[in-house]
């Protein structure tokens, strides 16, 4: 389900790092030797075997990250992102695997389109990349795609991200196909009759700015419906980019009932509230919108508890000229691959809202498990999917530092703590 260009496998020794793999139960200072792209040894004062040595004292070596929600804009908007630039951004952000969304031009709703993307990934992708296919043809919400054929062609899952599946009957049939394909259904939960013409969260800020407000109910109502359908069908369901407290509460209740439901949250929803929108910076316009303090608190709590098992950046590049307009005219979307870890470390770990091991697990093992991908791990015999983190480094986010083709970051000008020093993906050094 993951595809990338062939790259030389690494022979490297990472010396003296704090090796931290929360799932493997490892947290100690060790050397790690990689032979031919595979973790060959973990211990003290390892023989280097003549390999390149990375001195890593004072740094943290962790399983590399997995992003289950990325927009590569290919095909159709290569001016905003390509597989090559998007995966270079992922490598710089510490990711060893990403999953791309199907709301492209044309939509990824047929095996022929998917196969062409797979071939491009095999030629261009710096890190292993998977592709979700659309649930419905053209993402119109009316007729299911040929899900079995798409799964056979390599689809990593199915979603109509960017649009909800408005018909409960169509959604129910889509869930039933999981039994045949084994691929997760991921949903963008939005009730469009409540959100049409809105730009920010419906609350005090929207009222004071005089901008159309997107109510929390516009998300949570569809969350409730889709969870009910998943429970009825007895099939798993993944909720994308949750933003509202009511959605988190609905997820908790469903999980307690035994519904096989998982969810993700984004760095921007975990770090910001709609107070940030007072600047009217179009780089703070995203769907779903930034919400209130109680919503952010609920998301952080759910991430800490594991109710939300994954962080996803929802990396959504937009052309400069499209964002360089008044707030209400700008498209929804922000980038996030290159800043995700640092934003979360700065805003969640440093203030003590969640622990570093919890954050690392939600960035790596959590999303991998949801989509049935091999878990990045630090263990002898495992493929080298590793990220070396300098937690003391501070840096300012600016346009010149991006590998992504677009610069619509919500963090421009901000100073962050924590930086990716080295990334190995699929056994190859892809950053650092």
């Amino acid at each position: 389900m993951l595809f990338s260009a062939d790259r030389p496998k690494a022979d490297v020794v990472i010396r003296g790092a704090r090796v931290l793999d929360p799932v493997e139960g490892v947290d100690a200072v060790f050397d790690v030797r990689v032979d031919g792209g595979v973790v060959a040894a973990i211990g003290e004062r390892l023989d280097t075997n003549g390999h390149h040595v990375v001195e890593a004292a004072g740094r943290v070596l962790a399983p590399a990250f997995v992003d289950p929600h990325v927009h590569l804009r290919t095909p159709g908007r290569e001016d905003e992102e390509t597989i090559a630039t998007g995966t270079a951004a992922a490598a710089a952000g510490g990711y060893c695997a990403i999953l791309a969304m199907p709301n492209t031009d044309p939509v990824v709703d047929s095996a022929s389109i998917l196969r062409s993307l797979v071939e491009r990934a095999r030629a261009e992708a710096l890190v292993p990349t998977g592709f979700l296919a659309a649930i419905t043809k053209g993402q119109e919400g009316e007729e299911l795609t040929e899900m079995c054929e798409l799964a056979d062609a390599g689809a990593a899952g199915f979603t109509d991200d960017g649009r909800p599946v408005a018909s409960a009957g169509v959604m129910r049939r889509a869930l039933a196909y999981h039994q045949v394909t084994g691929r997760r259904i991921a949903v963008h939960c939005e009730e469009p009759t409540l959100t049409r013409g809105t730009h920010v969260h419906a609350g005090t800020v929207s009222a004071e700015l005089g901008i159309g407000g997107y109510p929390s109910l516009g998300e949570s109502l569809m969350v409730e419906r889709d969870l009910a359908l998943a429970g009825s069908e007895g099939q798993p369901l993944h909720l994308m980019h949750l933003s509202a407290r009511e959605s988190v509460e609905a997820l908790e209740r469903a999980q307690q009932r035994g519904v096989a439901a998982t969810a993700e949250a984004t760095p921007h929803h975990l770090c910001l509230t709609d107070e940030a929108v007072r600047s009217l910076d179009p780089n703070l316009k995203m769907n779903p919108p930034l919400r209130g303090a109680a919503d952010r608190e609920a998301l952080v709590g759910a991430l800490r508890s594991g109710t939300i098992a994954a962080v996803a950046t929802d990396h959504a590049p937009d052309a400069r000229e499209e964002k360089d307009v008044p707030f209400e005219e700008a498209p929804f979307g922000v980038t996030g691959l290159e800043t995700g870890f640092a934003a979360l470390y700065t805003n969640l770990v440093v203030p003590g809202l969640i622990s570093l091991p919890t954050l690392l697990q939600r960035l790596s093992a959590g999303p991998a498990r949801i989509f049935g991908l091999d878990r990045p791990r630090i263990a002898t015999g495992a493929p080298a999917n590793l990220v070396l983190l300098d937690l003391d480094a501070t840096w300012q986010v600016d346009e010149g530092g991006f590998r992504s083709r677009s610069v619509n970051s919500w963090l421009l000008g901000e100073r962050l703590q924590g930086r990716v020093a080295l990334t190995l993906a699929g056994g190859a050094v892809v950053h650092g």
Side-chain angles (χ1 to χ4, degrees), residues 112-159:
S112 61
I113 295 171
L114 178 58
R115 281 193 288 265
S116 72
L117 282 171
V118 167
E119 290 309 307
R120 291 179 72 165
R122 284 176 169 152
E124 301 176 29
L126 189 60
V127 304
T129 300
F131 299 94
L132 274 70
I135 295 172
T136 65
K137 293 182 179 180
Q139 293 189 303
E140 296 292 338
E142 297 176 0
E143 184 180 356
L144 292 180
T145 55
E146 298 294 337
M147 288 182 159
C148 294
E149 185 180 4
L150 283 160
D152 289 343
F158 296 94
T159 183

Side-chain angles (χ1 to χ4, degrees), residues 281-286 323 327 333-334 407-410 412:
D281 179 356
N283 287 331
L284 291 163
K285 184 177 180 181
M286 65 280 289
K323 281 287 193 180
F327 188 91
V334 295
V407 296
N408 53 306
S409 170
W410 56 280
L412 287 175

Side-chain angles (χ1 to χ4, degrees), residues 224-289:
E224 294 267 17
R225 188 207 73 172
D226 286 347
L227 289 171
L229 290 170
S232 173
E233 290 299 307
Q235 298 299 329
L237 177 72
H238 181 65
L239 305 174
M240 308 175 87
H241 49 45
L242 288 191
S243 68
R245 175 179 53 83
E246 295 88 345
S247 299
V248 172
E249 292 169 350
L251 173 63
E252 289 172 341
R253 291 192 298 269
Q255 289 175 341
Q256 289 166 5
R257 295 194 306 269
V259 178
T262 57
E264 66 192 38
T266 71
H268 39 280
H269 289 111
L270 289 162
C271 295
L272 297 178
T273 70
D274 60 343
E275 287 294 324
V277 179
R278 291 186 185 278
S279 67
L280 292 178
D281 179 356
N283 287 331
L284 291 163
K285 184 177 180 181
M286 65 280 289
N287 184 12

